[in-house]
Amino acid sequence: MTQQTNKLRSVVKGVGAALPRRCVTNRELEKTVDTSDEWIVQRTGITQRYIADKDETTSSLGAAAARLAMARAGCGPEDIDLIICATSTPDLTFPSVATMIQAELGIHGGVAFDLQAVCAGFVFAVATADKFLTSGSHRRALVIGSETFSRIMDWNDRTTCVLFGDGAGALVLEAQSGRGSNADRGVLTTKLRSDGRHRSKLFVDGGPSTTQTAGFLRMEGKEVFRFAVGHVTDVMTDAFAEAGLTAEELDWFVPHQANQRIIDASAQKLGIAPQKVVKTVQWHGNTSAASIPLALNAAFEDGRIKPGDLVMIEAIGGGFTWGAALIRW
Ligand code: ACO
């Protein structure tokens, strides 16, 4: 990476998360779905997930996560001039969840919009916010991942309904001057990719323009598993190369939390030591765009992630879409 003086960096100022009140264990699911705790744990590592009640929505969970991130960043409503909410489960087709959160938090300036890249949404949102902040056009961003995937589950389809959960997480990113080296705090590099030929492997079978319904999630689990393990490491390898860093220098690997076996296989492929891998899939299930900020928040709260640590986030989602970002916390 070439040295540049006074390069703007998107520095993490605060992290927050929110979960619905109701926790549903695998044992509870056994009562309504033809499944077992043993099957779910063995295939995925998931032991429980949180399911939103009627009064808990993508915008209310996202606002709660954002409020905590702002408090930890020491920010008031007047300090935020960009809000990006990654979600595939908006409260309404429009307006965006981001504008609902903007109103809820009393933020009246700047710009707010949603971004949809399914499970990779949070990585795409961090990359997008980073472009705004490092261009100098905006100063402080709320980057949110918030989902209520329970609302698009076919609860008669045991191959999908046991895998997902609801929740939200958020980061406050602030534009700060760096030296342009990989020792700077902030987002060091982001790598995004997508390939629309894989639509049929993971999709929702409804929408405003086709069925006028929200639809249900459909997935060819084995195909998604194969693609995830086979392809997602390309963006990580590219991110390390561009930043002039290696997997050995990583302090924390915080991947999308879909399945313990995908996480372990990806870490192993890159030679990342198991003790550096942050895993929350066992507690939250797959919360799509919310899974990475929920995991970042957990590792921040238990004291693992500290200022100066090198963190890689990575995810793959429907489309397919996939990406990685290297962040010096
Ligand atoms: N409980 C009990 N049995 C089940 C369940 C269940 N919930 N679901 C499926 N089974 C049965 C199947 O019917 C099948 O039975 P059969 O052999 O009698 O036909 C058997 O279990 C094996 O099913 P497979 O689909 O072959 O199971 P597999 O080992 O592939 O695991 C899983 C399925 C967990 C979905 C896996 O393929 C996977 O993790 N895929 C990745 C998908 C993923 O994580 N997607 C998340 C969204 S995308 C993303 O975020 C990356």
Side-chain angles (χ1 to χ4, degrees), residues 148-227:
T148 46
F149 259 55
S150 64
R151 311 278 213 259
I152 52 164
M153 283 300 115
D154 174 353
W155 288 96
N156 294 312
D157 177 7
R158 68 175 183 172
T159 68
T160 53
C161 72
V162 302
L163 304 175
F164 292 87
D166 303 332
L171 286 182
V172 173
L173 295 178
E174 181 179 271
Q176 290 183 7
S177 252
R179 287 170 305 166
S181 84
N182 59 26
D184 284 348
R185 285 189 65 202
V187 176
L188 299 179
T189 187
T190 60
K191 291 284 165 195
L192 306 181
R193 289 200 57 197
S194 47
D195 186 343
R197 288 173 297 178
H198 301 278
R199 174 174 114 168
S200 64
K201 292 171 188 153
L202 182 54
F203 66 103
V204 170
D205 64 4
S209 182
T210 50
T211 60
Q212 297 87 54
T213 62
F216 294 116
L217 181 143
R218 305 293 175 203
M219 178 172 72
E220 292 174 29
K222 269 197 200 316
E223 289 300 318
V224 177
F225 192 100
R226 198 170 296 138
F227 190 90

Side-chain angles (χ1 to χ4, degrees), residues 87-282:
T87 189
S88 304
T89 47
D91 295 26
L92 303 169
T93 301
F94 73 80
S96 67
V97 173
T99 56
M100 292 182 184
I101 294 172
Q102 184 187 31
E104 174 66 25
L105 298 182
I107 299 169
H108 303 307
V111 60
F113 59 90
D114 285 358
L115 188 155
Q116 205 268 61
V118 204
C119 300
F122 190 75
V123 180
F124 277 55
V126 166
T128 306
D130 183 51
K131 309 279 184 214
F132 276 77
L133 295 176
T134 58
S135 76
S137 67
H138 291 73
R139 292 201 48 219
R140 226 168 275 107
L142 259 176
V143 185
I144 303 162
S146 188
E147 303 278 18
T148 46
F149 259 55
S150 64
R151 311 278 213 259
I152 52 164
M153 283 300 115
D154 174 353
W155 288 96
N156 294 312
D157 177 7
R158 68 175 183 172
T159 68
T160 53
C161 72
V162 302
L163 304 175
F164 292 87
D166 303 332
L171 286 182
V172 173
L173 295 178
E174 181 179 271
Q176 290 183 7
S177 252
R179 287 170 305 166
S181 84
N182 59 26
D184 284 348
R185 285 189 65 202
V187 176
L188 299 179
T189 187
T190 60
K191 291 284 165 195
L192 306 181
R193 289 200 57 197
S194 47
D195 186 343
R197 288 173 297 178
H198 301 278
R199 174 174 114 168
S200 64
K201 292 171 188 153
L202 182 54
F203 66 103
V204 170
D205 64 4
S209 182
T210 50
T211 60
Q212 297 87 54
T213 62
F216 294 116
L217 181 143
R218 305 293 175 203
M219 178 172 72
E220 292 174 29
K222 269 197 200 316
E223 289 300 318
V224 177
F225 192 100
R226 198 170 296 138
F227 190 90
V229 173
H231 287 77
V232 80
T233 45
D234 63 0
V235 281
M236 296 194 258
T237 307
D238 289 354
F240 279 125
E242 186 170 280
L245 291 162
T246 63
E248 292 81 64
E249 291 169 275
L250 204 60
D251 293 296
W252 304 109
F253 177 48
V254 188
H256 171 47
Q257 309 283 318
N259 183 314
Q260 191 166 293
R261 288 155 57 213
I262 297 178
I263 295 172
D264 292 343
S266 308
Q268 197 182 18
K269 211 168 150 187
L270 266 115
I272 298 168
Q275 64 271 20
K276 293 181 175 179
V277 182
V278 175
K279 275 189 229 173
T280 49
V281 66
Q282 65 277 22

Side-chain angles (χ1 to χ4, degrees), residues 42-54:
Q42 193 201 24
R43 305 286 171 130
T44 70
I46 298 165
T47 64
Q48 60 175 45
R49 75 285 294 140
Y50 291 81
I51 304 289
D53 283 334
K54 276 222 159 57

